[in-house]
Amino acid sequence: MSSSDSILRLTIQKKGRLADGSFELLKRCGLTISHGKDKLYARVEEMPIDVLLVRDDDIPAFVADGASDIGIIGQNVYDEQRLTGDAVLPEEPEMRLGFSGCRLCIAVPKGESYDGPQWLEGKRIATSYPGITQAWLKEQGISARTVVMNGAVEIAPRMNIGEAICDIVSTGATLDANGLMPVETIYRSEAILIKSPHKLSDAKQAVFDALLKRIHGVQESREAKYIMMNAPRSAIEEITAMLPGSDAPTILNLAGDESKVAIHAVCRESVFWETLENLKRLGASAILVLNIEKMMA
Ligand SMILES: Nc1ncnc2c1ncn2[C@@H]1O[C@H](COP(=O)(O)OP(=O)(O)OP(=O)(O)O)[C@@H](O)[C@H]1O
Ligand SMILES: O=P(O)(O)OC[C@H]1O[C@H](OP(=O)(O)OP(=O)(O)O)[C@H](O)[C@@H]1O
Ligand SMILES: [Mg+2]
């Protein structure tokens, strides 16, 4: 078997809004990648994985035709390329990754009396996402033209290229700075893991399965907390029912106090201050909530 049949190829963005999250995720999976400013390729030390560093737009097509086995991409770019037929890929990604969250919004100049999608009828919408925009317009029963721009879309109304735009919004600062206001959120995006529709060799599939397990572990441990407290023996049932997303907790006797126990549990959902206040009300004391670094079922 040649090494190309056994080394999994992962493609991620070299630099930009997805790159930091992608590198951080791989680091949390225990994978070290040495990458310099000019490096477009890196070998992972801990697992048989080669990482290719490219512009995000190229990732769906690389994965679709099998040049890369897996990739990390914004759902917006993935769906756009799927809808316009630029990359033939399954509708559902392998996994949602929870970072690089943003939305696609229709925005119009401040002061326009936008009164709903019908305002857009017959107008021109400047966007880098004609596929997603046209799909939304179709759903709304509106006919409008999309004018494709690859960047600086916010300039379009001022240049009289379009009456509206459809672009990525996160904080809204860019729209505001360009005298525009968001009027519709038509799409929500986050980073996703995608996998080639081409069958992987058994060796690559095994590496992929191991990587996926680690990513799941990272995802779970992000929210999960280890919670410890002392509590009245009589309140064990009520307290365990209150712990968010926890399996059977560990109950330990406390030396010298028959009426109390220590309760330790992994909570798989967020532990809010309110939960702690409610635990206290049931008699719990010395409550500690700790971050979990890694998890594996
Ligand atoms: N302001 C933002 N906040 C959060 N996520 C964002 C934001 N802008 C973009 N994203 C997400 O990150 C992805 C990449 O954005 P970025 O601006 O790095 O792309 P780019 O300029 O096309 O980069 P490249 O040079 O790789 O082509 C977007 O497709 C989107 O999913
Ligand atoms: O709502 P905001 O928080 O202002 O973010 C939105 C902006 O962020 C992205 O661009 P980016 O800053 O990545 O620059 P780019 O145009 O070079 O991609 C996007 O294209 C918007 O212009
Ligand atoms: Mg790009």
Side-chain angles (χ1 to χ4, degrees), residues 17 151-152 154 167-175:
R17 302 266 192 178
E154 291 88 355
D167 198 20
I168 292 173
V169 178
S170 172
T171 61
T174 310
L175 287 185

Side-chain angles (χ1 to χ4, degrees), residues 57-73:
D57 316 68
D58 293 331
I59 296 174
F62 282 2
V63 174
D65 69 19
S68 179
D69 302 310
I70 56 173
I72 296 176
I73 183 70

Side-chain angles (χ1 to χ4, degrees), residues 13 16-17 55 102-103 128-129 150-154 165 167-178:
Q13 189 191 32
R17 302 266 192 178
R55 288 199 59 178
C102 59
R103 54 196 205 277
S128 314
Y129 299 91
N150 292 319
V153 174
E154 291 88 355
I165 69 159
D167 198 20
I168 292 173
V169 178
S170 172
T171 61
T174 310
L175 287 185
D176 193 53
N178 286 285

